[in-house]
Amino acid sequence: MSDPKQSPEEFVFLLARHERLIGAYVMTMVPNPTDADDILQDAKVVMWRNFSQFQPGSNFAAWARKVAFHQVLAFRKRKHRDRLDFSDEFLNTIAEEMETSAPHLEKRERALNDCMAKLPGDHREVVLLRYHQGLELEEMASRLKRTTTALYRLLSRVRHVLHGCVSETLKTSDYDYAS
Amino acid sequence: MTMPPKGSEIEREVFALCDEILDGKISEENNARLEALVLTNPEARRAYVEYMQLSAALRQTSAGLASGALEDVLQPFPESGSKRTSVLPWVWKIAAAFVLGTGIPSALWLNRENSHVATLVEVSGARWETCVFATEVGAKVRPGNVRLAEGLARFSFRNGVDVTLEGPAELEVQGVNQCWLKNGALVAHVPPSGKGFVVQTDYAKLTDLGTEFGIRTDRSGDCAVHVLNGTVELQHVSGAGSVRLSTGQLASINAREILKLERTEGESTLPSSVEGDVGRIRSFTHEITTTNGGGAAAYVSSPGTKLHFSDTLLLLKNARVSGFLRKVLLRFDLSSIGGRSLESARLTLNFDRTGFGFASLNQDAQFAVYGITNDALDGWDPGTVSWENMPAHSERGGEVDVTQATRVGTFVLPRGVVRGSYYIEGDAIARYLQQDVNQLVTLVIVCESEGAVPASVVYGIAGNNHPTLPPPTLRLRITQ
């Protein structure tokens, strides 16, 4: 029997399955979207290059997180330090937290879609403008004819509501997608 | 969704500081405050991670992370020192597309003969619910999800591992050496060539060291393992310890720990949910389709749809255009229930290829099922119902008028998948059916995921005239 391990199909499959969570993992440590995108791209290239070292059958998500974590550290070394950067201790603590709660976070992510669908139209609109179109609050303010303060509060509220909805979903129902 | 945010004071403070990071400009003092909270308080840590992941997920659900020009980086090392010498060029292109974030239709690579990871070698009394491959013996099994409603299905993996799935069960085949048991039970026989085979569950990771074993898990994530012959290693996903089990040994795993149980002879005493089902004989199952009694099935197209109709399939589509959108309407006649109370309900829909549009232009597609709450609207005629006069009409392809309908469930067709059986079940649909008064219910199905371009795929559900597939079916568990 030929050795079917570590085929590119396998890489494609595993990456496709875990990419979103890896992206979220990076953004939790590096909230700036542009920086996070750069890091994720680097991490994907490193994973691709080193896929032969991935132990088939072991936990791909955990392996990918490890690679991504190193890319976060490498990025920080390269980048000019900002006084608002988190400390290394903070990053290590967060990484550890995300490692132990990975299955929990995955469940939360799955429940989010339904909660999004329950949002009232105006809430969904600000999510789309902010997250899909990537608009800054000032641009949103002029488009929606509202103040930036009002939009700041609204976005905060939407995230609070979604967080509460996801927690509630996981607590009260046998949440389950039919696919 | 208008309740005020709840949660502890710590949580509220962490969320407020996260808001400053996400939408504002956090001050140096507040940044330090956030660090201190997270480093010293476990609740703050959890709150930070959950909130920031939620924000990240919103961005990715809406957009998908950026794709840079990485082709140059990828091409120089296709065969650098690894075993990848026999790889065909198309594989590299596709893998590169993925790394680039440009994506490709999964059908392109999944359908390749050499991408299968196992073969379906035997079935016995099997009824499939969802399956990403053909369900006849000899079918090549590609990575993906399998739901077996009942019966047995035996898979032979390419490395010689033999896995028998016992329905009801849900298994995700992840690769030649790995699968994820989400629900149900399986027995695996692992020859030396398959040593290292992994079965993952919510809380446990089982690595086989050359053996035969049984494993069972349920929706709560609790899991039980019984080694029939040989040795396995069992790890808790949280890192809360690992154990080795040998012939005859059992262990159970819950959210917190692994419990090793003593050696037993013969029949295993897995903490199975099946045990609870024995003796429950006070209810029976009843099926109703859209062909029974006053039932009906139809679809409507938005104004401007001049092409692409079907007599056998109920068409569904949502895209960023005004024409060519479609929604499905189903009517079920509940008079045969005679007002008895429902224990559970499931709506099953059989998708089939329409040949209209391109599946590769869509992402995963989420569908929502709405129940019409106004009984006066149940009288629609499948011959004349239209986009505008349908119950709970909304101009938008992925929505209905929610003042006249209630959402009873959702399901997802993964990208590239246009066939297969999908269902919704749960309290919402059972409650909705139970509350009906006139013994007719109308369900509306919409595709919530908007195709990015007009040419995105048209989905089709077998209707009342399909030559081979069953019509939309309600399976009800009725209490005597």
Side-chain angles (χ1 to χ4, degrees), chain A residues 1 4 8 13 16-17 20 28 37 40-41 48 57 83-84 87 104 130-132 156 159 163 177-179, chain B residues 19 22-23 28 31 35 48 50 55 59-60 62 65 68 91-92 95 147 158 172 174 180 198 412 423:
Chain A
M1 183 174 303
F13 173 73
R17 190 178 133 73
R20 278 160 57 130
T28 304
D37 283 350
L40 182 63
Q41 288 295 73
W48 167 261
R83 65 200 164 78
L84 287 176
S87 67
H104 167 70
R130 179 80 178 113
Y131 286 99
H132 180 60
S156 166
R159 283 191 294 257
H163 181 272
Y177 274 114
S179 74
Chain B
D19 285 335
L22 293 168
D23 293 326
E28 213 167 329
N31 207 51
E35 275 221 30
Y48 175 84
E50 285 182 6
S55 175
R59 179 158 179 263
Q60 294 180 326
S62 314
L65 283 178
V91 173
W92 290 101
R147 268 179 190 249
R158 287 208 324 228
E172 182 176 320
Q174 297 183 309
W180 182 348
V198 168
V412 175
Y423 69 77

Side-chain angles (χ1 to χ4, degrees), chain B residues 105-166:
Chain B
S106 48
L108 242 182
W109 55 277
L110 289 178
N111 284 340
R112 300 299 294 223
E113 182 69 11
N114 59 355
S115 70
H116 78 276
V117 296
T119 307
L120 181 62
V121 289
E122 190 183 349
V123 292
S124 170
R127 192 164 63 78
W128 302 89
E129 276 168 1
T130 312
C131 207
V132 291
F133 49 86
T135 51
E136 75 265 12
V137 168
K140 303 291 182 216
V141 178
R142 306 181 301 268
N145 232 26
V146 176
R147 268 179 190 249
L148 183 63
E150 58 188 32
L152 302 177
R154 186 159 71 86
F155 303 96
S156 175
F157 281 69
R158 287 208 324 228
N159 54 5
V161 174
D162 206 273
V163 168
T164 304
L165 191 63
E166 302 181 3

